[in-house]
Amino acid sequence: MTENTQQSTHSAPELPTQYTPADVEGPLYERWVERGYFEADEKSEKPPYTIVIPPPNVTGSLHLGHAFEHTLIDALTRRKRMQGFETLWQPGMDHAGIATQNVVERELAKEGVSRHDLGREAFVERVWQWKNESGGQISGQMRRLGDGVAWSRERFTMDEGLTKAVQTIFKRLYDDELIYRAERIINWCPRCLTAISDIEVEYQDDDGELVSIRYGEGDSSIVVATTRAETMLGDTAVAVHPEDERYAHLVGTEIELPLTGRRIPVVADEHVDPEFGTGAVKVTPAHDPNDFEIGRRHDLPNLAVLDERGVITAHGPFQGLDRFEARSAIVGALRAEGRIVAEKRPYTHSVGHCSRCKTTIEPRLSMQWWVKVGPLAQAAGDAVRDGKVAIHPKEMESRYFGWVDNLHDWCISRQLWWGHRIPVWYGPNGEVVCVGPDDEAPTGEGWTQDTDVLDTWFSSGLWPFSTLGWPEQTPSVEKFYPNSVLVTGYDILFFWVARMMMFGIYAMDGTPPFHTIALHGMVRDQFGKKMSKSFGNAVNPLDWMEAYGADAVRFTLARGANPGVDVPIGEDWVQGSRNFANKIWNATRFAMMNGATIEGELPAAEQLSATDRWILSRLNSVVAEVDAYYDDYQFAKLSDTLFHFAWDEVFDWYVELSKTTFMAGGPAAEVSRRVLGEVLDVTLRLLHPIVPFVTETLWTTLTGRESVVIAEWPGDSGFRDAAAEQEIGLVQQVVTEVRRFRSDQGLQPGQKVPARLDLSGTALAAHEAGMRSLLRLQPAGDDFSATASLPVAGATVALDLSGAIDVEAERKRLTKDLAAAEKEKAQANGKLGNEAFLAKAPEKVVDKIRGRLEAAEADIVRITAQLAALPQA
């Protein structure tokens, strides 16, 4: 074990009889913060360990997904702090451009005004006001959970330092021709009135309609099919495949576009699939990305017919109609002219929606700012391929490569007012000037700044180094970059992780922002369903923390955290974790009442009983297992290991086996008290990163030292005792078998029965008192008459059950159960012996029947043994 260097001031107060999290957690957390335990010193000579918080949106509140992620990060950083690392968990929040602007606009709407009524400057001031009033909610919830973040370093993506970082990298990318402005098809949200990136579009199957429309007349007509009839007003061509002989005579000619009077060309393009539909497609370059590329290849005009709100702008009877109203009206007009060849309703197809407001996305031709991602994405992919960055679990690498190796240029401009304004000025004579943070912006008549702001992910992509003071080469950058690990959900592997990788490598001279990317899954309800307010299964983690304590919520989340796998969670599981916290409390309280201590040296092995050597051997094995699981980000396995070691081995076995030693007193009791103190000390330290509050209270009371937060992480001393483990294993085997027999005979757990234990020739003789205590076995008196005898592990346990049970009633019950098991066996054998049944039944059904047969046969063996063990009349 490791020695703790904190000073003991031990005159330990007695623990309350019950653990009440609400009385403990808040004051404890404030004490940790006041004492500066979570702060990080860049001047320290300790090795660094850095994790950045995935910055929550300033608009939000702590949901169960945040609580899950924060629990994992907090566990990692608390352990590393205990291991002697200079640990920085960097906190902060994201300005969340679209989401925040939407929130404030809704607040303004309640007052009967819009942002346009206020004007840009006043609106931005209003957003800052809202942020200052509402932004503290997340911080308070993080404290409630126990997040050990360096609060003095808290950052916001719109604060002065991060704004300088954004302007710096924009200028560098612009100067390196990796940022450019161009007119392209973008994803446009008619509700948010801004462009959004590809990864902010959510696709879902919607019911629409597929209509087939005849363009042109007679032999020169072509039928095209579309789900978006309203865009035909902007068609500038019809395209067919160059090798499609059906339309070869029309390529190079013009046909009339219905309802418009315009004539449009028929072009040949290899993008068209001749096997799909009629083999001909309408081309609307201003409203479809594929059509835009066809238009560029054939020098077609771009005719926009929808405005920013999705309203028809083309002159004619449809002008001013919403896009969906126009769709019905246009189909009706075409039907009236006899041009609808076929209609299919409903026609289910994949449709893009804005991830923020769920509005149907409109592809739209627009002048925007773009990042040329090719070289940046190549570097981000190579960093993983070359082993500079490890993705955990490794099987997630393929998803990462599938994204970064196929990235399209990134549209970074947003038509919002809240965000980092693009640092580009336009002059009266067409001049374009990009301004860095240390440059003077152009002044004079006719000079204006670009009105757009940057995509939120642009600034959050700088998070691992901008939060440390970059672009200045600060001591914090020197000490804490690159980050040790990024802990985040696989769902934002594309949104955020890839952006940070690209920008980190570019800005930091080829050094990736992390050594490891540890990906976790999504929190789901106990049935595996996604949590959502609309589903009615969303959980506010604060409600569970109020009811069961933060430790119970944390332990439940950690115990479900297998790398990269979704995490189901239900309230009854949190209740179970609350019971675990209570078990730790009660067992530690009992141990301290019985003199458990950490004072003095741990006795030498020759002074220890087999029970003492066993628990110390197991303790060291658990230390090694937990360390290995932490290093592999196996939170579920390490939590489960600690749960079973603490509850089963320490509290249910060692403490119970030691009770008779404590009662007997003497030197052996003093040795076991010191061993128990050691085991509790180490176990509480191992548990602390996951359940910090209850362990802090118990550990400081047990040891009299300042805080487990700054205690030394336990080490594996290498002590192992296979013989002691085998010996106690025999004790456990005997106790388990006799307990099972007692239960089978209907005895109550606390019901005492006379017994004689024949332990000769085994290593069990030294444990008779402990086994009798655990099994509620009284000594055999002169009138003892064995009615049942159990041979176990080389020993024999004889029991006198006369008077303890109603033998005849028990015999009737067991006989009835035996008959039912034999009937079940016969039915299963009958089906499995029926060749006709086996030929027709699905394999799953057959397997189920085989399982029923095995269970019935096991029941028959068990019940027969129980009947044989009953006292004879």
Side-chain angles (χ1 to χ4, degrees):
M1 299 304 109
T2 56
E3 280 297 319
N4 197 290
T5 57
Q6 297 179 52
Q7 291 296 312
S8 175
T9 56
H10 208 20
S11 54
E14 186 174 325
L15 290 166
T17 55
Q18 287 187 321
Y19 175 54
T20 309
D23 295 342
V24 171
E25 294 174 348
L28 263 189
Y29 187 84
E30 292 310 314
R31 190 183 314 154
W32 292 334
V33 173
E34 288 167 7
R35 292 177 177 177
Y37 293 156
F38 305 139
E39 296 302 324
D41 182 5
E42 60 265 15
K43 298 177 183 177
S44 168
E45 294 184 0
K46 296 178 183 178
Y49 186 80
T50 315
I51 295 181
V52 293
I53 195 171
N57 289 350
V58 69
T59 57
S61 60
L62 194 71
H63 57 64
L64 207 54
H66 286 125
F68 172 57
E69 187 167 78
H70 290 200
T71 294
L72 305 187
I73 298 175
D74 198 41
L76 291 173
T77 52
R78 284 178 182 268
R79 171 176 175 257
K80 285 296 182 180
R81 191 177 292 112
M82 294 171 77
Q83 286 183 315
F85 286 78
E86 192 61 36
T87 303
L88 170 60
W89 181 9
Q90 173 67 54
M93 286 181 282
D94 195 290
H95 67 278
I98 296 176
T100 303
Q101 180 158 316
N102 283 347
V103 168
V104 177
E105 286 197 79
R106 283 196 295 270
E107 292 297 311
L108 289 174
K110 295 175 184 176
E111 303 170 15
V113 295
S114 71
R115 63 182 167 114
H116 300 285
D117 296 326
L118 292 182
R120 183 172 192 140
E121 187 174 336
F123 175 76
V124 171
E125 285 182 11
R126 182 67 178 263
V127 180
W128 274 109
Q129 179 186 342
W130 179 89
K131 183 265 177 188
N132 293 333
E133 291 172 356
S134 305
Q137 184 177 4
I138 284 278
S139 299
Q141 292 167 329
M142 288 169 61
R143 291 170 184 268
R144 183 71 182 81
L145 186 65
D147 288 1
V149 299
W151 286 112
S152 68
R153 294 172 173 264
E154 188 174 11
R155 304 305 296 270
F156 179 56
T157 50
M158 287 278 288
D159 68 25
E160 184 178 351
L162 272 68
T163 296
K164 182 176 183 179
V166 167
Q167 292 171 346
T168 299
I169 201 162
F170 187 101
K171 171 72 170 169
R172 291 187 186 179
L173 289 164
Y174 181 86
D175 290 346
D176 287 344
E177 298 184 349
L178 293 173
I179 281 183
Y180 64 93
R181 192 171 184 242
E183 190 176 44
R184 301 273 180 83
I185 292 286
I186 48 91
N187 303 299
W188 181 265
C189 176
R191 160 63 184 79
C192 298
L193 298 180
T194 182
I196 63 174
S197 63
D198 291 343
I199 53 178
E200 292 172 300
V201 178
E202 294 178 348
Y203 288 90
Q204 67 184 47
D205 287 340
D206 286 358
D207 284 341
E209 60 181 351
L210 180 68
V211 294
S212 298
I213 309 167
R214 178 170 52 82
Y215 286 17
E217 302 293 342
D219 293 339
S220 62
S221 66
I222 294 181
V223 175
V224 300
T226 181
T227 58
R228 304 179 67 226
E230 69 279 8
T231 63
M232 68 162 292
L233 301 176
D235 286 358
T236 56
V238 171
V240 297
H241 194 274
E243 297 176 5
D244 194 335
E245 296 181 359
R246 293 172 295 176
Y247 305 114
H249 66 290
L250 293 177
V251 173
T253 68
E254 291 185 342
I255 59 175
E256 184 173 327
L257 179 65
L259 306 181
T260 67
R262 287 192 292 114
R263 295 189 67 79
I264 58 175
V266 178
V267 299
D269 195 279
E270 292 190 352
H271 170 76
V272 180
D273 180 1
E275 303 299 323
F276 181 77
T278 63
V281 297
K282 59 192 287 298
V283 182
T284 322
H287 294 284
D288 182 276
N290 293 321
D291 292 2
F292 177 77
E293 295 302 325
I294 293 174
R296 291 216 298 184
R297 288 193 288 270
H298 298 278
D299 199 25
L300 300 174
N302 300 315
L303 183 58
V305 295
L306 289 166
D307 70 8
E308 61 182 9
R309 296 184 183 275
V311 173
I312 297 292
T313 58
H315 292 298
F318 311 108
Q319 187 174 14
L321 293 180
D322 171 80
R323 53 185 169 156
F324 300 117
E325 295 172 334
R327 181 176 301 172
S328 298
I330 288 170
V331 170
L334 290 168
R335 189 184 297 113
E337 289 190 5
R339 292 193 172 274
I340 299 297
V341 176
E343 298 179 69
K344 184 176 182 180
R345 291 191 192 88
Y347 178 73
T348 302
H349 60 130
S350 182
V351 178
H353 296 261
C354 174
S355 62
R356 303 290 182 186
C357 68
K358 312 309 177 188
T359 300
T360 301
I361 289 300
E362 190 63 49
R364 186 167 186 254
L365 186 64
S366 180
M367 183 67 75
Q368 301 284 347
W369 286 94
W370 304 79
V371 172
K372 186 185 294 182
V373 300
L376 303 174
Q378 177 70 41
D382 289 346
V384 175
R385 270 184 280 266
D386 297 344
K388 294 177 182 176
V389 179
I391 292 180
H392 187 87
K394 190 173 178 61
E395 53 265 28
M396 286 286 181
E397 280 187 3
S398 60
R399 295 180 67 168
Y400 176 78
F401 292 136
W403 180 253
V404 298
D405 292 348
N406 296 284
L407 269 179
H408 298 137
D409 284 1
W410 172 20
C411 176
I412 55 171
S413 46
R414 300 290 180 267
Q415 289 64 55
L416 304 171
W417 288 356
W418 172 245
H420 295 281
R421 196 163 172 183
I422 289 176
V424 172
W425 271 254
Y426 305 107
N429 300 310
E431 302 95 332
V432 179
V433 176
C434 181
V435 176
D438 300 321
D439 300 334
E440 289 289 333
T443 58
E445 188 175 349
W447 282 93
T448 58
Q449 186 178 357
D450 197 299
T451 57
D452 288 352
V453 300
L454 288 164
D455 179 9
T456 298
W457 297 104
F458 190 95
S459 52
S460 59
L462 313 180
W463 192 247
F465 50 93
S466 63
T467 52
L468 300 174
W470 186 92
E472 308 303 326
Q473 193 62 21
T474 64
S476 288
V477 171
E478 292 281 353
K479 180 73 174 178
F480 296 114
Y481 187 90
N483 293 186
S484 306
V485 61
L486 173 73
V487 179
T488 192
Y490 63 71
D491 57 316
I492 57 172
L493 181 62
F494 317 129
F495 287 86
W496 189 44
V497 179
R499 311 300 192 203
M500 289 189 289
M501 287 286 284
M502 291 191 296
F503 281 166
I505 294 169
Y506 173 79
M508 304 302 285
D509 299 321
T511 302
F514 333 101
H515 295 301
T516 301
I517 299 168
L519 299 171
H520 58 72
M522 311 292 291
V523 177
R524 298 183 178 273
D525 71 13
Q526 59 189 318
F527 306 108
K529 190 174 181 180
K530 180 181 178 181
M531 284 192 173
S532 166
K533 289 182 181 178
S534 60
F535 295 155
N537 63 351
V539 173
N540 182 344
L542 292 179
D543 292 341
W544 281 356
M545 285 189 269
E546 290 297 327
Y548 309 111
D551 285 334
V553 175
R554 290 169 61 113
F555 192 75
T556 305
L557 290 166
R559 203 173 177 195
N562 290 297
V565 178
D566 289 345
V567 183
I569 183 172
E571 187 168 2
D572 55 337
W573 304 342
V574 185
Q575 292 174 356
S577 295
R578 186 268 315 275
N579 295 342
F580 179 52
N582 288 341
K583 181 78 170 182
I584 300 169
W585 182 273
N586 294 332
T588 304
R589 182 173 178 273
F590 169 84
M592 293 181 65
M593 288 172 63
N594 282 273
T597 180
I598 65 162
E599 300 299 327
E601 293 293 323
L602 194 65
E606 56 269 19
Q607 296 178 264
L608 304 175
S609 68
T611 308
D612 295 333
R613 296 196 307 276
W614 162 72
I615 197 63
L616 290 174
S617 180
R618 287 293 304 127
L619 180 65
N620 277 284
S621 294
V622 167
V623 169
E625 287 174 35
V626 168
D627 276 332
Y629 286 141
Y630 261 116
D631 292 341
D632 199 34
Y633 305 100
Q634 297 278 1
F635 295 98
K637 290 182 178 179
L638 73 89
S639 299
D640 214 46
T641 296
L642 287 170
F643 174 87
H644 288 294
F645 176 70
W647 192 307
D648 300 342
E649 298 185 79
V650 178
F651 302 144
D652 280 357
W653 285 106
Y654 181 72
V655 169
E656 292 297 323
L657 286 171
S658 300
K659 280 182 179 179
T660 53
T661 305
F662 294 148
M663 291 173 64
E670 291 305 312
V671 168
S672 290
R673 288 185 180 106
R674 179 63 186 89
V675 170
L676 181 53
E678 179 77 8
V679 172
L680 288 174
D681 167 24
V682 174
T683 302
L684 290 170
R685 281 188 275 155
L686 289 173
L687 281 165
H688 172 72
I690 305 291
V691 284
F693 294 107
V694 68
T695 51
E696 170 80 340
T697 306
L698 294 174
W699 189 85
T700 53
T701 305
L702 172 71
T703 66
R705 291 173 176 154
E706 181 182 339
S707 175
V708 71
V709 176
I710 54 172
E712 188 174 349
W713 181 253
D716 176 7
S717 70
F719 176 79
R720 300 289 192 280
D721 193 323
E725 290 195 34
Q726 184 177 17
E727 184 172 326
I728 301 304
L730 293 175
V731 173
Q732 293 171 323
Q733 187 178 344
V734 171
V735 171
T736 301
E737 194 62 36
V738 175
R739 279 177 173 168
R740 182 182 296 116
F741 176 78
R742 285 176 56 104
S743 176
D744 289 342
Q745 299 306 316
L747 294 175
Q748 297 300 313
Q751 190 173 353
K752 294 182 179 180
V753 295
R756 179 178 292 137
L757 277 64
D758 181 3
L759 308 177
S760 57
T762 73
L764 298 170
H767 304 286
E768 180 170 351
M771 288 192 294
R772 283 186 176 276
S773 175
L774 287 166
L775 290 169
R776 305 294 191 269
L777 301 180
Q778 295 175 324
D782 294 338
D783 59 346
F784 176 81
S785 175
T787 60
S789 182
L790 298 175
V792 188
T796 301
V797 179
L799 303 168
D800 181 1
L801 301 180
S802 59
I805 60 172
D806 184 335
V807 175
E808 281 309 309
E810 188 66 12
R811 192 184 308 280
K812 286 181 180 178
R813 182 184 70 81
L814 290 172
T815 301
K816 183 178 179 182
D817 290 348
L818 180 61
E822 288 174 338
K823 181 179 180 182
E824 175 75 2
K825 176 183 176 182
Q827 289 177 341
N829 272 326
K831 288 187 176 180
L832 293 174
N834 186 332
E835 294 296 333
F837 171 79
L838 293 177
K840 294 180 181 179
E843 188 62 29
K844 286 184 179 180
V845 173
V846 176
D847 287 343
K848 187 175 180 180
I849 293 172
R850 290 193 182 109
R852 284 168 50 192
L853 175 62
E854 291 175 7
E857 289 174 336
D859 285 344
I860 291 169
V861 171
R862 175 179 58 80
I863 296 168
T864 301
Q866 289 176 236
L867 281 166
L870 284 175
Q872 298 302 310

